[in-house]
Amino acid sequence: MKHFYLSVFALLVCITANAIETKQDTLTTKDGRKIICENLKIGDNMIMYTLPGEFEAVTMFMDDIVSINGKKPSKLSATIITTDGDTITCTVEKETGTVLQYLENGELPLKTISKEKVAKLVKYDGSFRTFENERAAIEDARRMEIEKRQRIAQAKAAGDSKDFTDGYVAYENRGRGRVYLDGYHISDEKYARLCENIDYDLWRQYRKGTQMRTSGIVFMSFGVPLTATAISMFIAGAATMSTSAFHNSPLYTMAVAYISAGAPLMAIGIPLYCAGVKNCKRSVAGFNSQNAKYNKDIALNLGVTSSGGIGLVMNY
């Protein structure tokens, strides 16, 4: 009887061991291979797994993976755990420095959640990410924004507003390119100081635009005359010589040499010039947009302070 119970126990152990199978996943690689694997761990740039019956871990770059279980790696299900304790089953479609965009249960519409409200993002493989660093960065950015607004408001209240404006800035693409404030031409240095009090990246964008525009003009200043000269040579040769005589003449050789040099210079210069002008215009448009927001949002009033006195109150 004792041997019977031992045999039954051993049989149950075997059945249980077979029932508890390790979860397997199927990887499809760029070169068409299909890999059956276990213990899959997914990182931001790499994955790690073991082959069935083996214990040695294998790593692979995420870029080499086409799909996992028939789905793109970015489309694998994840769970967002919010700071309020709510859980959201979703697929994360896009991530920026401040938000996650996701499809809840893989269905439209696309939703957005701030990383400030995300306590943990649990991935398909059970690994997870927290967003303490991102939340700290968002708080720092918010604090810097408030400080910037306070500095603008205080400068305006003190009458020190030479580098602030409520006006409209425009860009005119003539000569070296000009910036106007309420119709009056201002220097690049003045525009740089205005940008510094709003967003200095706007000045960097403008400066980059002027450099690209200037480079484009330099390329075109060589390319246009060479190309125009070559075309005039072709026209003159075709009008005064037969086709065979013209093709065998030094004039034809010079025309080909000129256009071979001029056309590439124009091909480089024109896109550079256009991109530079676009950057300048975008800088000015960005300045007007952000400056209007500050002037609209910031209001200075005399009012009662929290301590019961009279003081300057800033509303935004």
Side-chain angles (χ1 to χ4, degrees), residues 258-309:
Y258 279 22
I259 203 167
S260 298
L265 290 173
M266 289 180 61
I268 296 171
I270 292 174
L272 266 178
Y273 178 85
C274 294
V277 172
K278 183 179 289 187
N279 268 352
C280 293
K281 290 181 176 180
R282 283 180 175 175
S283 169
V284 168
F287 176 87
N288 286 325
S289 175
Q290 294 194 42
N291 194 45
K293 179 183 69 175
Y294 285 126
N295 288 316
K296 178 182 178 181
D297 291 349
I298 298 175
L300 289 170
N301 300 291
L302 285 175
V304 179
T305 66
S306 59
S307 60

Side-chain angles (χ1 to χ4, degrees), residues 90-140:
C90 62
T91 56
V92 178
E93 300 294 314
K94 186 178 179 181
E95 178 179 346
T96 70
T98 57
V99 301
L100 296 175
Q101 292 184 323
Y102 64 92
L103 295 176
E104 189 167 3
N105 296 316
E107 298 177 355
L108 292 171
L110 186 67
K111 298 181 179 180
T112 301
I113 184 171
S114 170
K115 288 182 178 179
E116 290 181 288
K117 298 181 180 179
V118 178
K120 187 184 294 185
L121 174 64
V122 183
K123 299 182 181 180
Y124 166 83
D125 61 350
S127 62
F128 63 88
R129 286 177 57 198
T130 57
F131 296 96
E132 286 87 354
N133 293 336
E134 284 88 344
R135 286 199 292 271
I138 293 171
E139 285 297 323
D140 288 343

Side-chain angles (χ1 to χ4, degrees), residues 3-271:
H3 292 292
F4 172 75
Y5 284 120
L6 288 174
S7 299
V8 171
F9 179 74
L11 180 62
L12 289 174
V13 169
C14 291
I15 293 173
T16 304
N18 289 329
I20 305 174
E21 295 181 354
T22 303
K23 181 177 179 298
Q24 293 187 337
D25 297 283
T26 302
L27 310 178
T28 303
T29 64
K30 283 185 176 180
D31 56 9
R33 291 182 298 145
K34 290 189 179 295
I35 303 172
I36 307 298
C37 66
E38 300 174 349
N39 304 311
L40 179 64
K41 298 295 180 184
I42 303 174
D44 291 333
N45 300 311
M46 301 192 71
I47 63 170
M48 183 171 66
Y49 61 88
T50 58
L51 296 174
E54 298 184 9
F55 297 98
E56 184 177 354
V58 180
T59 58
M60 185 178 294
F61 286 107
M62 185 66 76
D63 291 342
D64 294 330
I65 302 297
V66 175
S67 67
I68 301 175
N69 298 329
K71 295 181 179 180
K72 291 183 178 179
S74 60
K75 304 297 183 184
L76 294 174
S77 62
T79 302
I80 295 174
I81 302 176
T82 69
T83 52
D84 296 330
D86 298 328
T87 59
I88 304 170
T89 301
C90 62
T91 56
V92 178
E93 300 294 314
K94 186 178 179 181
E95 178 179 346
T96 70
T98 57
V99 301
L100 296 175
Q101 292 184 323
Y102 64 92
L103 295 176
E104 189 167 3
N105 296 316
E107 298 177 355
L108 292 171
L110 186 67
K111 298 181 179 180
T112 301
I113 184 171
S114 170
K115 288 182 178 179
E116 290 181 288
K117 298 181 180 179
V118 178
K120 187 184 294 185
L121 174 64
V122 183
K123 299 182 181 180
Y124 166 83
D125 61 350
S127 62
F128 63 88
R129 286 177 57 198
T130 57
F131 296 96
E132 286 87 354
N133 293 336
E134 284 88 344
R135 286 199 292 271
I138 293 171
E139 285 297 323
D140 288 343
R142 182 178 288 115
R143 175 180 53 78
M144 292 173 65
E145 185 77 4
I146 291 172
E147 290 175 354
K148 182 189 293 184
R149 293 184 180 212
Q150 289 174 339
R151 181 162 53 85
I152 294 173
Q154 290 167 0
K156 288 183 176 181
D160 182 20
S161 57
K162 62 181 180 180
D163 290 335
F164 301 93
T165 180
D166 297 334
Y168 182 81
V169 176
Y171 175 77
E172 187 171 311
N173 184 37
R174 66 170 183 169
R176 296 172 56 191
R178 295 186 175 187
V179 179
Y180 291 83
L181 175 60
D182 290 336
Y184 294 95
H185 173 245
I186 61 173
S187 66
D188 286 356
E189 291 75 15
K190 172 68 174 179
Y191 182 59
R193 292 196 300 271
L194 291 174
C195 289
E196 187 176 3
N197 291 307
I198 299 296
D199 184 350
Y200 199 68
D201 283 340
L202 292 170
W203 165 248
R204 292 193 181 98
Q205 183 180 31
Y206 178 84
R207 187 62 180 159
K208 180 181 178 181
T210 59
Q211 291 170 346
M212 293 174 69
R213 181 179 180 274
T214 301
S215 298
I217 291 173
V218 171
F219 279 107
M220 288 191 293
S221 67
F222 288 98
V224 171
L226 286 171
T227 303
T229 302
I231 292 173
S232 64
M233 287 179 176
F234 281 124
I235 294 173
T240 58
M241 306 179 194
S242 65
T243 302
S244 58
F246 176 52
H247 285 179
N248 294 321
S249 68
L251 186 64
Y252 179 80
T253 304
M254 289 178 61
V256 170
Y258 279 22
I259 203 167
S260 298
L265 290 173
M266 289 180 61
I268 296 171
I270 292 174

